C-alpha cells in the first residue's frame, strides 16, 4: 500500500523460467569448453607430446618383451 508522497517501489524483475536457467547453464558450459580448447590449441605444454609418445612406446615394448620371453 502506498501513501501520498511516498515513492513507489520499482517492479520486481520477473522470475526466470526453467528453460532460461538451463539455457544460461548450457551457454556458460559452452563458453568454458571453448576457452579450454583455445588454451589447449595455444600450446605451452609443460611436457612435449613427443616425450609422451616415446615413454608409451617404451612401456609397450617392455611389456611385449616380458610376454615374449616368459
Amino acid at each position: 500500500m502506498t501513501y501520498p508522497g511516498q515513492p513507489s517501489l520499482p517492479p520486481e524483475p520477473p522470475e526466470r523460467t526453467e528453460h532460461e536457467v538451463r539455457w544460461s547453464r548450457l551457454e556458460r558450459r559452452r563458453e568454458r569448453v571453448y576457452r579450454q580448447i583455445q588454451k589447449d590449441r595455444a600450446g605451452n605444454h609443460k611436457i612435449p607430446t613427443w616425450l609422451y609418445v616415446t615413454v608409451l612406446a617404451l612401456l609397450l615394448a617392455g611389456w611385449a618383451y616380458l610376454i615374449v620371453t616368459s
Side-chain angles (χ1 to χ4, degrees), residues 3 8 16-17 21 23 26-27 35 37 40 42 49 60 66 68 70:
Y3 298 101
S8 61
R16 296 181 347 181
T17 65
V21 171
W23 183 255
L26 177 68
E27 286 297 317
R35 282 194 313 265
I37 290 171
D40 291 344
T49 306
L60 290 175
L66 286 175
V68 170
S70 61

Side-chain angles (χ1 to χ4, degrees), residues 10-68:
E12 292 183 16
E15 289 188 31
R16 296 181 347 181
T17 65
E18 182 181 349
H19 176 72
E20 291 171 333
V21 171
R22 287 183 185 207
W23 183 255
S24 63
R25 189 177 300 157
L26 177 68
E27 286 297 317
R28 285 193 308 268
R29 178 170 169 76
R30 188 176 291 157
E31 181 62 29
R32 203 168 46 241
V33 168
Y34 176 77
R35 282 194 313 265
Q36 183 66 37
I37 290 171
Q38 291 303 328
K39 186 177 117 182
D40 291 344
R41 284 183 180 168
N44 302 328
H45 303 292
K46 295 183 190 252
I47 300 174
T49 306
W50 63 265
L51 186 59
Y52 282 125
V53 171
T54 304
V55 170
L56 179 61
L58 288 173
L59 286 172
L60 290 175
W63 181 66
Y65 177 77
L66 286 175
I67 290 175
V68 170

